[in-house]
């Protein structure tokens, strides 16, 4: 499995993904789930992927191939006029993978399972964030939506639900994403470091920061220890329900 | 969906379940997921159920019917000599439901989906805790296992993983279960109050406390507000990753 989360904030975008791919517990590998397409100052597009690795790698490969083929007249991620068109391009790539692999996978009893988070900014638009499904259709984050998750999303959802708001600073959102990831890693073997953290500041149209966080990363270790400790303290500070001892 | 959690501790057993049943978002009802079979002082057996309500109600009905039929020679929950036999009886009831409903459900494309947590104590044994699957097979909690969950288990797992230990007092375990339930209710529409909290003290072989917790319950409201507040404070207290602003 995989866990990816992306947040859309007033100040920009934060993306965090793990890198664990498992086909059974004895076949665990490291594959990055984050891909950046960037023309610094003009556009920045960040893709996170979850699901069947052959499908998601294939779709990203199709998208990358098309960058060099600008004469065909078809849009690619460097020529799309807005992020909606970018999400459409990603959806089209997923549909092309379905045309290629869908039926053979079905014959093997394998689900066509792939999803993408697509976020970024193209000059002239505000930052935007999309969730692209296996059918190639997609939804966009609205002012009421601060985040999208794909993959093993449930363990790390409660903390995001409680603390995120559109106005939070990017570094605080990154902290929230890392705590959410830590909760997921602790409770699910199929999610693990190294992590990819990408920060995009609003109106810069470039990656502000792309950090590779491995298990030895000092800040992530502080989060791991500090958050667990803080949770245990918060837990101790709440009174026990003494009434349950009564019949 | 449903969320049930049961903890096996040195001091006894704690069971917490919600009561929401949904067949789609416009068909949500309240059905208790907890059933107690008790001969106070001699045995106490607590069942929690998750999955297809027709199957789990059917299985519980079979178990209840057999209590009155002690001449048949077959074990029932009042005559089983130990908790392993109790878990076997519950598994047999699930298998009988599969014989009755499995094929018609399959023809309608409905999965045979049912699972039970079975815990309690029979005089002469320590308290024991089991997880019974849809196939009627089951596993037992060992000294390394402090809890079982069924249903929507992921949202509420991280807090249990962090704070439970066999030596914790029952009231503290109940607090942990309620926080785990609160996290689940906040992040998943299909889980909701009223809640059933059952406490069994070791070697009493009876229910020590069975509390019906509705949304107005003052302690649960304190947990809901207090835990959210404590999490936000703990979150604020951890330093932000200032290095992510650097390219």
């Amino acid at each position: 499995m995989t866990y990816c989360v992306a947040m859309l904030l007033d100040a920009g975008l934060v993306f965090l993904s793990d890198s664990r791919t498992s086909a059974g517990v004895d076949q665990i590998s490291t594959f990055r789930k984050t891909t950046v397409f960037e023309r610094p100052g003009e556009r920045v597009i960040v893709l996170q992927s979850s699901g069947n690795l052959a499908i998601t790698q294939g779709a990203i490969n199709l998208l990358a191939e098309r960058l060099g083929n600008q004469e065909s007249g078809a849009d690619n991620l460097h020529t799309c006029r807005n992020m909606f068109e970018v999400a459409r391009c990603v959806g089209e790539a997923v549909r092309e993978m379905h045309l290629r692999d869908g039926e053979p996978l079905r014959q093997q009893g394998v689900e066509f399972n792939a999803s993408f988070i697509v976020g970024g900014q193209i000059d002239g638009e505000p930052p935007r964030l999309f969730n692209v499904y296996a059918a190639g259709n997609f939804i966009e984050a609205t002012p009421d939506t601060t985040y999208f998750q794909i993959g093993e999303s449930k363990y790390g959802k409660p903390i995001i639900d409680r603390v995120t708001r559109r106005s939070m600073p990017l570094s605080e959102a990154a902290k929230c994403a890392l705590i959410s990831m830590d909760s997921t890693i602790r409770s699910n073997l199929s999610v693990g470091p190294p992590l990819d953290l990408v920060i995009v500041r609003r109106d810069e149209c470039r990656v502000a920061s792309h950090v590779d966080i491995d298990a030895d990363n000092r800040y992530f270790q502080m989060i791991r220890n500090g958050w667990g400790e803080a949770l245990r303290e918060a837990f101790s500070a709440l009174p026990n329900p003494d009434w349950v001892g009564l019949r």
Side-chain angles (χ1 to χ4, degrees), chain A:
Chain A
M1 249 336 232
T2 281
Y3 175 46
C4 302
V5 55
M7 299 181 191
L8 175 61
L9 309 157
D10 297 337
L13 293 148
V14 172
F15 301 86
L16 181 68
S17 62
D18 84 316
S19 61
R20 190 159 290 179
T21 295
S22 55
V25 288
D26 57 350
Q27 214 179 333
I28 287 181
S29 324
T30 298
F31 286 94
R32 297 309 172 118
K33 315 295 174 55
T34 297
T35 311
V36 178
F37 293 87
E38 190 181 22
R39 296 181 110 177
E42 193 270 321
R43 69 181 56 208
V44 57
I45 298 162
V46 181
L47 263 60
Q48 295 174 299
S49 59
S50 162
N52 182 308
L53 187 64
I55 299 171
T56 57
Q57 281 190 342
I60 288 166
N61 221 58
L62 290 175
L63 292 166
E65 269 175 15
R66 280 166 196 166
L67 294 184
N69 187 17
Q70 306 212 2
E71 287 73 36
S72 74
D75 273 342
N76 65 49
L77 297 194
H78 281 175
T79 61
C80 286
R81 283 159 305 141
N82 54 57
M83 284 298 297
F84 187 89
E85 292 299 317
V86 166
R88 207 181 48 77
C89 277
V90 175
E92 289 299 325
V94 176
R95 285 174 184 171
E96 188 160 335
M97 288 308 299
H98 188 259
L99 276 179
R100 294 183 183 192
D101 290 359
E103 181 54 27
L105 286 174
R106 201 192 58 76
Q107 286 171 17
Q108 301 288 330
V110 179
E111 195 191 355
F112 187 86
N113 172 18
S115 57
F116 286 89
I117 291 174
V118 182
Q121 186 170 12
I122 294 179
D123 194 25
E125 281 197 323
R128 297 172 75 177
L129 186 65
F130 297 84
N131 191 347
V132 181
Y133 302 109
N137 58 337
F138 52 87
I139 58 170
E140 178 173 7
T142 64
D144 297 320
T145 328
T146 49
Y147 69 92
F148 283 138
Q149 300 171 296
I150 54 176
E152 271 295 354
S153 60
K154 295 184 179 184
Y155 304 104
K157 188 168 186 287
I159 180 63
I160 303 180
D161 282 338
R162 284 182 201 268
V163 306
T164 51
R165 49 192 199 290
R166 272 288 175 102
S167 59
M168 78 199 299
L170 293 173
S171 62
E172 200 176 314
K175 177 174 70 173
C176 174
L178 287 164
I179 289 171
S180 171
M181 180 65 78
D182 175 43
S183 295
T184 309
I185 289 173
R186 277 188 189 270
S187 290
N188 190 297
L189 268 184
S190 76
V191 176
L195 314 176
D196 265 310
L197 176 65
V198 176
I199 313 265
V200 172
R201 281 205 209 93
R202 187 189 169 100
D203 296 339
E204 288 190 355
C205 293
R206 74 180 73 234
V207 169
S209 177
H210 187 161
V211 192
D212 179 349
I213 299 173
D214 62 21
D216 298 332
N217 180 286
R218 230 181 253 187
Y219 181 80
F220 191 53
Q221 281 187 336
M222 183 282 294
I223 288 283
R224 303 205 78 168
N225 300 328
W227 183 246
E229 192 49 46
L231 277 190
R232 281 185 289 273
E233 274 169 28
F235 180 77
S236 295
L238 286 180
N240 291 339
D242 293 325
W243 40 268
V244 299
L246 309 169
R247 191 174 178 90

